Amino acid sequence: MLEAKGLMVFYENMLALNNVSINCEGNQIVGVFGANSAGKSTLMYTLSGIMEDIRKKEEMAGGERITVLGEIRYLGQDIMGLKPSKRAKAGIVLCPERRRIFPECNVLENLRIGAYLASPSQAKDTLEYVFNVYPALEKLKKRVGGFLSGGEQQMLAIGRALMAQPKLLLLDEPLLGLSPLIQSIMVRSTKEIRDEKGISIIVTEQYARPVLPIVDYAFILENGAAVLEGTREELLNNPDVRSAYFGV
Ligand code: ATP
């Protein structure tokens, strides 16, 4: 479904992604694990095309020079030159790190904003689906985003991304700052979304352990480079990987 090859991203002379190649097949959940500053958000911005917007903004403001190299193919097409809005329309939807919901809009308004790419009937069906996956949100329809808990905000952020009708959902550190209980709810619902809607998912996390049970394949990023990859079983059966990365 998505195949990225040899991605390199420089912020000025600082190499943030170093020759990263990753794949996500249809209907797969792919994990990308790495410590702080490993390059996870840079990768997600590059795949979703938002890096192009950031690059242009910096260029216009006379700010830092960002260079992006490599190849990204999505559903058989080269999308490297495609704007983020076009990629979203084609089904690549990013749910960014730290949620970024609209704090002054209520839950329903936040979700409706996400539906800008959907037909009215898709919007209606997806809204129902979001409340089905996250029943807690339905009870909070009229509450403004800023007054939601971290977990509720994360549900809302993923719900809003679903409203955009993704075929490939990019989740950047969805568990960040959540309690273990809420984390397990988020992990379970992520699998549900893949199983029920057939949406492929690339999920980044600092810690692999909570997400590992639902990933089909995973990559480990270190200092901008993909240093290891394999199926869940391959990674779990590798004793070095187990202790160094998964704490098991
Ligand atoms: P985190 O878990 O902290 O979000 P991450 O794995 O998402 O980390 P990135 O945010 O992709 O990492 O950052 C990768 C590297 O690039 C880091 O060293 C970071 O400081 C650097 N970096 C990120 N954005 C910029 C920028 N706009 N300008 C310069 N350097 C940046």
Side-chain angles (χ1 to χ4, degrees), residues 149-187:
S149 70
E152 292 157 358
Q153 289 191 10
Q154 186 61 55
M155 292 174 193
L156 181 55
I158 299 178
R160 190 182 56 185
L162 289 176
M163 294 296 281
Q165 314 298 308
K167 293 189 178 82
L168 173 62
L169 183 61
L170 307 177
L171 299 178
D172 197 3
E173 295 198 53
L175 305 184
L176 191 70
L178 304 182
S179 70
L181 176 65
I182 306 292
Q183 286 192 358
S184 69
I185 293 173
M186 296 312 301
V187 169

Side-chain angles (χ1 to χ4, degrees), residues 11 14 16 35-43 64 97 173 206:
Y11 298 107
M14 192 275 204
N36 261 330
S37 297
K40 303 182 295 295
S41 298
T42 301
L43 176 64
E64 66 182 353
E97 191 185 347
E173 295 198 53
Q206 198 164 337

Side-chain angles (χ1 to χ4, degrees), residues 130-212:
V130 169
F131 289 149
N132 180 31
V133 179
Y134 304 119
L137 277 189
E138 188 164 20
K139 301 191 189 89
L140 300 165
K141 267 188 219 173
K142 299 280 167 179
R143 183 162 305 173
V144 294
F147 285 164
L148 299 175
S149 70
E152 292 157 358
Q153 289 191 10
Q154 186 61 55
M155 292 174 193
L156 181 55
I158 299 178
R160 190 182 56 185
L162 289 176
M163 294 296 281
Q165 314 298 308
K167 293 189 178 82
L168 173 62
L169 183 61
L170 307 177
L171 299 178
D172 197 3
E173 295 198 53
L175 305 184
L176 191 70
L178 304 182
S179 70
L181 176 65
I182 306 292
Q183 286 192 358
S184 69
I185 293 173
M186 296 312 301
V187 169
R188 211 177 321 130
S189 58
T190 301
K191 182 170 183 308
E192 234 172 86
I193 290 166
R194 189 276 306 271
D195 292 347
E196 293 170 0
K197 290 283 170 187
I199 297 172
S200 306
I201 297 173
I202 301 179
V203 54
T204 73
E205 275 301 329
Q206 198 164 337
Y207 301 106
R209 197 172 181 178
V211 203
L212 206 61

